[in-house]
Amino acid sequence: PDPLAAMAQNENQFNSDTETGGLAPLANANADVNAKFDKNMAFLNKYQFPGTPVLIFQDTQGNPMSLYGVSPDDLNKTIQSMAPFSG
C-alpha cells in the first residue's frame, strides 16, 4: 500500500552477503505489478542500463547524466551536482 515505505524497508534491511532485500518476493504478483515491472525492464533494456539503482538527471550546466549502482558517498556527490528541479 505504501511503495516508498516498502522501498525504504527493503533497502534498510538489505543483506549484502546474500544479495537479498528486506522484503520477501511476491509469490503471485497481480497484473498491475507485473505490467509496471515489464515497463521498467523494457526501459532498462532499451537504454542498456546494466543494473539498478539508476539515476537520470541534469547537472548544473544542464547536461543529461545517468548513474547506476551508486554508493552512498557517490550519491551525495551526485545530488550536489544536480541542477535544481524546475518541474
Side-chain angles (χ1 to χ4, degrees):
D2 185 346
L4 189 57
M7 188 171 84
Q9 179 184 346
N10 198 53
E11 290 296 314
N12 290 335
Q13 296 175 6
F14 185 79
N15 183 326
S16 297
D17 294 334
T18 61
E19 287 286 316
T20 56
L23 297 175
L26 293 174
N28 295 304
N30 64 41
D32 183 50
V33 169
N34 284 329
K36 288 176 182 176
F37 176 81
D38 291 342
K39 184 177 180 180
N40 286 334
M41 290 305 298
F43 178 84
L44 291 173
N45 289 330
K46 179 178 181 179
Y47 296 103
Q48 300 178 348
F49 289 112
T52 59
V54 174
L55 300 174
I56 302 168
F57 60 98
Q58 286 183 322
D59 67 13
T60 54
Q61 286 77 43
N63 300 308
M65 305 290 291
S66 65
L67 190 63
Y68 59 89
V70 69
S71 71
D73 288 339
D74 287 340
L75 179 60
N76 189 40
K77 291 175 190 171
T78 299
I79 290 171
Q80 298 305 316
S81 75
M82 290 180 181
F85 180 70
S86 61

